[in-house]
Amino acid sequence: MRILGIETSCDECSAAILSGPQDVTVNLVASQVDLHRIYGGVVPEIACRRHLEVINPLIDRALKQAGLSFRDIDAIAVSNAPGLIGALLVGVTVAKTLAFALDIPVYGVNHLAAHIYANSIQFGEFDFPLLALVVSGGHTSIIEMRGHHNFKILGETRDDAAGEAFDKVAKYMRLGYPGGPIIEKLAEKAEGKGLTFPRPMLKSGTFEFSFSGLKTAVINHLRSREGEKTTPAEVCRAFQDAVIDVLVTKTLSAAESTGIDRVLMAGGVAANRSLRNAMKSNLEKKGIRLFVPSPALCTDNAAMVACAAYYMNKAGIKSGFGLDAHATFDLENYSNENQG
Ligand code: KG4
Ligand code: ZN
């Protein structure tokens, strides 16, 4: 089954063609970062207007690069939830229109599921049960999977997502946008190791996260006299260390309490090299295998959307024109969305 994937949930406009579950023919990503940078974050209205301008030419380019025409496409997959509603609507409208005109199925894919299935592109079909840690700009969730598109959320963030905390700290420090890669780079230059920040919810006994308090601790430190004695690089490293410590500790305890020994990481923050290294070494010490896709498959892209749809089809989840765009949507029940 050859699937055209469409991704417009936030500030990346992407079109991809997947010729098989692990066969990415083309995966084009038109980033809007330059457009939003001056505002220090994504402006929803600007994002959806840009998606509208970019998506059709991007799909045409994807087909051209692949040497294919619309007639070679067997199904369309689109991120339809969660995300910025205006941005999602652009992708959903394009996907449904194309599918209707071509008389092929259209799959509405949950964006978190898409991030998880980025692992399948790189590592092949999942071996269940497994745990997935999704760490992105909008989500921080530990999810148990016992079959394709069978999700049980073990814990989520109560406030800011990990990526959101990276972005907000970078914005406060006037480092630029998006904050994650900038903080990662600056943290590498830190010399002193004395500074530490609190590890939120570390001992809560749950798999829930909270990064808003950590962000406030960083801001309070920067405003204090102590803040004047530390370099931006030290602050970035101490902040990043705190985020990583919480993510690693919670993932490890989820693996130990469920007895599941395979963990997938996914989402933009999973591109962070220090997090990848820390997660790998700590999980491997306990005999747990870690899978993390290449950084380009961690951040938003349409190939992961198409791959998730491939396994929706395999799991017998129906496609359907009843699908709509939703700013929020329950991952555990979203497959019903396609009916209709
Ligand atoms: O998955 P993604 O592309 O979009 C969402 O679904 O949110 O994730 C974007 C988030 C941003 O918050 C960005 O700062 C963060 O991922 N990010 C990183 C890194 N690269 C992207 N965070 C930490 N380290 C990185 N290298
Ligand atoms: Zn994403």
Side-chain angles (χ1 to χ4, degrees):
M1 184 159 82
R2 185 175 277 131
I3 304 175
L4 170 67
I6 297 173
E7 164 59 49
T8 63
S9 67
C10 191
D11 62 340
E12 319 280 9
C13 192
S14 179
I17 297 168
L18 204 79
S19 298
Q22 280 81 49
D23 183 2
V24 180
T25 308
V26 58
N27 189 17
L28 302 180
V29 181
S31 173
Q32 300 181 2
V33 161
D34 289 343
L35 215 58
H36 300 283
R37 188 172 279 128
I38 53 165
Y39 305 101
V42 179
V43 182
E45 191 65 21
I46 294 176
C48 67
R49 281 168 198 255
R50 178 50 71 98
H51 285 308
L52 208 52
E53 290 164 9
V54 167
I55 187 66
N56 286 331
L58 200 65
I59 292 171
D60 282 342
R61 220 171 80 210
L63 286 166
K64 207 167 176 189
Q65 275 193 24
L68 299 169
S69 80
F70 278 123
R71 291 283 155 212
D72 299 311
I73 303 296
D74 303 309
I76 312 256
V78 62
S79 272
N80 74 313
L84 303 172
I85 189 66
L88 289 163
L89 265 172
V90 174
V92 167
T93 307
V94 169
K96 285 168 79 171
T97 308
L98 278 177
F100 188 74
L102 297 168
D103 194 21
I104 55 177
V106 56
Y107 289 90
V109 176
N110 186 290
H111 184 75
L112 266 72
H115 272 301
I116 292 171
Y117 276 91
N119 278 282
S120 186
I121 295 176
Q122 196 160 329
F123 303 110
E125 183 149 0
F126 292 156
D127 200 359
F128 299 107
L130 55 84
L131 290 179
L133 173 70
V134 180
V135 266
S136 69
H139 293 85
T140 306
S141 314
I142 299 185
I143 297 158
E144 181 182 324
M145 287 183 78
R146 296 204 170 260
H148 283 299
H149 290 280
N150 177 339
F151 304 107
K152 182 176 165 200
I153 294 175
L154 301 183
E156 290 180 296
T157 182
R158 287 188 172 181
D159 40 57
D160 290 354
E164 191 179 355
F166 270 96
D167 295 339
K168 286 179 174 171
V169 165
K171 187 174 183 181
Y172 186 84
M173 293 177 75
R174 297 175 197 270
L175 297 175
Y177 172 82
I182 300 169
I183 287 181
E184 175 177 20
K185 230 180 189 164
L186 201 50
E188 282 165 15
K189 298 194 179 124
E191 281 170 6
K193 268 202 163 179
L195 183 63
T196 56
F197 289 120
R199 271 63 172 147
M201 309 273 296
L202 197 64
K203 297 196 167 74
S204 68
T206 68
F207 305 123
E208 289 188 317
F209 302 90
S210 163
F211 292 107
S212 167
L214 172 60
K215 169 197 69 192
T216 307
V218 174
I219 292 172
N220 288 344
H221 168 78
L222 289 165
R223 283 183 179 154
S224 72
R225 289 225 162 147
E226 286 305 302
E228 289 165 18
K229 296 182 202 152
T230 50
T231 64
E234 282 162 359
V235 173
C236 286
R237 182 160 79 194
F239 163 74
Q240 183 175 275
D241 283 352
V243 174
I244 292 173
D245 194 7
V246 175
L247 293 174
V248 169
T249 307
K250 295 262 171 179
T251 306
L252 204 53
S253 69
E256 285 176 340
S257 86
T258 55
I260 295 175
D261 63 359
R262 272 180 300 276
V263 173
L264 313 178
M265 256 203 321
V269 181
N272 185 289
R273 263 166 299 150
S274 303
L275 171 62
R276 296 163 81 99
N277 294 339
M279 192 68 82
K280 194 168 166 44
S281 62
N282 281 285
L283 293 188
E284 275 180 359
K285 268 188 230 156
K286 303 277 179 182
I288 301 161
R289 277 191 76 186
L290 176 71
F291 300 87
V292 198
S294 62
L297 285 174
C298 288
T299 46
D300 288 351
N301 67 90
M304 67 185 192
V305 180
C307 186
Y310 175 88
Y311 286 103
M312 283 171 78
N313 175 266
K314 199 167 177 191
I317 297 169
K318 292 209 166 55
S319 61
F321 284 94
L323 78 92
D324 208 345
H326 302 276
T328 55
F329 212 84
D330 178 7
L331 178 68
E332 293 178 353
N333 295 311
Y334 90 94
S335 52
N336 298 333
E337 168 65 6
N338 287 277
Q339 317 289 325

